[in-house]
Amino acid sequence: MASGAQGAKGTLYRGREGMWSWVAQRVTGVLLFFFLFAHVLDTALVRVSPHTYNQVIGTYKNPVVNLLEVGLVGAVMFHAFNGLRIIAIDFWSKGPKYQRQLLWVVVGLWAVLMLGFLEPMMQHTFHEWFGW
Amino acid sequence: MSTHVSLEPPRTGNPGRSQRYRSRKGPGKVTRGNFELYSWLFMRASGVLLVFLVLGHLFIMMVTDGGVEKIGFAFVAGRWASPWWQFWDLMQLWLAMIHGTNGMRTVINDYADKDRTRAILKGLLYTAAVLTVALGTLVIFTFDPSIKG
């Protein structure tokens, strides 16, 4: 296929917002699937004993896992908002026309919420690291 | 510059086109009916519900009231004392697992080229999914706040 149609801007959609949002939706989706699998297993420990459950959950309460949790929330929120964008593209008559603008709405909403949630999610870590 | 690209139809199929593919292939070939259409629709319907269920879950667990520091057996016991949160978690478990498994099915179909590799990966996927949903459901329904230990 010739890539000359749109020159440096890429082909029909390859390498542009449409492709990268598709890649990000896949990558976050696969990560979330594996997380979900692990999360059902760790929660199942409540059927073993309170001690076992608290012990395992206790290993999550450190700054490194806390950062991973922030990443998890980031992945979930991107997958959720971009998923709604996909639904808009599929069902809203003007969706395909505004798909690119919708992606920037997704990214903007994501950034605002991540910034807002950062302090409440990382309170303990901030306290440990900086004494805040 | 032009690159030669050979295009094959996607192995996950195309929503709403399954009938057409079938008739092209002739009788006796792949007959999946409208499965891919329902799969596509399910991803959207469950997706909308999951936005509320999962973002609500994360907000309560990780944002409010000191974040994850509060989570422990006592916290879980407090929440599952209410049928509302039991139902919430049950819906979340089932919808997220089916949504995630169906997404993984698409990913496997896209990248695993050999028939045998695809069959093995999907076998593993469905086994893991059924066991996870069964375990999670059992845990929600049989949770005992006064368990010893």
Side-chain angles (χ1 to χ4, degrees), chain A residues 1-54:
Chain A
M1 280 287 139
S3 58
Q6 290 186 31
K9 285 180 176 174
T11 52
L12 185 57
Y13 70 97
R14 240 192 300 168
R16 305 210 60 190
E17 292 89 339
M19 186 194 90
W20 291 115
S21 62
W22 174 84
V23 169
Q25 191 72 1
R26 264 208 170 182
V27 171
T28 52
V30 171
L31 289 174
L32 295 174
F33 179 80
F34 286 114
F35 167 79
L36 178 60
F37 180 70
H39 183 49
V40 173
L41 293 183
D42 66 21
T43 305
L45 293 173
V46 295
R47 283 301 285 126
V48 178
S49 78
H51 176 72
T52 314
Y53 180 73
N54 288 339

Side-chain angles (χ1 to χ4, degrees), chain B residues 13-85:
Chain B
N14 205 343
R17 304 259 172 92
S18 352
Q19 298 291 353
R20 228 181 297 167
Y21 280 140
R22 181 171 59 179
S23 58
R24 262 193 213 148
K25 283 180 176 168
K29 289 280 180 176
V30 190
T31 52
R32 304 182 76 180
N34 281 327
F35 179 79
E36 294 299 343
L37 172 65
Y38 297 130
S39 151
W40 174 88
L41 199 59
F42 173 80
M43 291 310 261
R44 275 131 192 93
S46 60
V48 171
L49 293 172
L50 283 165
V51 168
F52 294 100
L53 290 168
V54 175
L55 291 186
H57 177 75
L58 285 177
F59 189 72
I60 292 164
M61 296 297 168
M62 294 172 76
V63 179
T64 60
D65 202 14
V68 287
E69 286 297 313
K70 63 178 176 287
I71 297 175
F73 186 86
F75 186 78
V76 177
R79 282 173 62 79
W80 280 348
S82 147
W84 168 259
W85 293 118

Side-chain angles (χ1 to χ4, degrees), chain A residues 40-119:
Chain A
V40 173
L41 293 183
D42 66 21
T43 305
L45 293 173
V46 295
R47 283 301 285 126
V48 178
S49 78
H51 176 72
T52 314
Y53 180 73
N54 288 339
Q55 214 173 20
V56 170
I57 296 299
T59 64
Y60 298 165
K61 293 176 183 176
N62 65 70
V64 176
V65 181
N66 196 199
L67 279 174
L68 292 173
E69 284 157 359
V70 173
L72 172 72
V73 171
V76 169
M77 288 210 300
F78 178 82
H79 197 86
F81 301 150
N82 190 52
L84 293 175
R85 168 178 165 267
I86 293 170
I87 293 172
I89 295 170
D90 285 347
F91 291 103
W92 177 38
S93 59
K94 291 190 178 128
K97 191 180 164 193
Y98 293 114
Q99 63 88 9
R100 192 150 17 127
Q101 287 87 336
L102 285 172
L103 180 63
W104 297 114
V105 173
V106 166
V107 171
L109 186 62
W110 180 89
V112 168
L113 287 176
M114 282 306 277
L115 276 175
F117 290 163
L118 202 61
E119 198 278 329

